Amino acid sequence: PEVQTRVATLERSTERRPTIDARLLIDGSWVEGADGRTLPVIDPSLGEPAGRVAVAAAVDLARSVE
């Protein structure tokens, strides 16, 4: 019974976990990275993927400071 309770709690907590979006915030807008590369984000509490984030390239940096 104790194991079942712990598993049920874990399942409920992962259902509420937000998904991380793979875009960059540049000039107030969410945009794709120039080269489309992304990296996984791992939820440390579960050791599982929680989403992906965009990798900013030099051109993305230039767009952000224009």
Side-chain angles (χ1 to χ4, degrees):
E2 182 180 338
V3 172
Q4 291 173 348
T5 302
R6 295 173 103 187
V7 171
T9 301
L10 180 59
E11 288 172 356
R12 282 194 304 273
S13 68
T14 59
E15 290 173 7
R16 292 188 302 253
R17 182 179 64 206
T19 302
I20 298 171
D21 193 10
R23 294 184 289 165
L24 302 168
L25 181 61
I26 297 178
D27 195 24
S29 298
W30 289 102
V31 297
E32 301 294 325
D35 60 11
R37 292 185 306 146
T38 62
L39 292 172
V41 176
I42 305 299
D43 180 335
S45 67
L46 299 173
E48 297 177 359
R52 299 192 70 79
V53 293
V55 175
V59 68
D60 298 313
L61 175 61
R63 287 190 314 178
S64 71
V65 296
E66 291 178 343

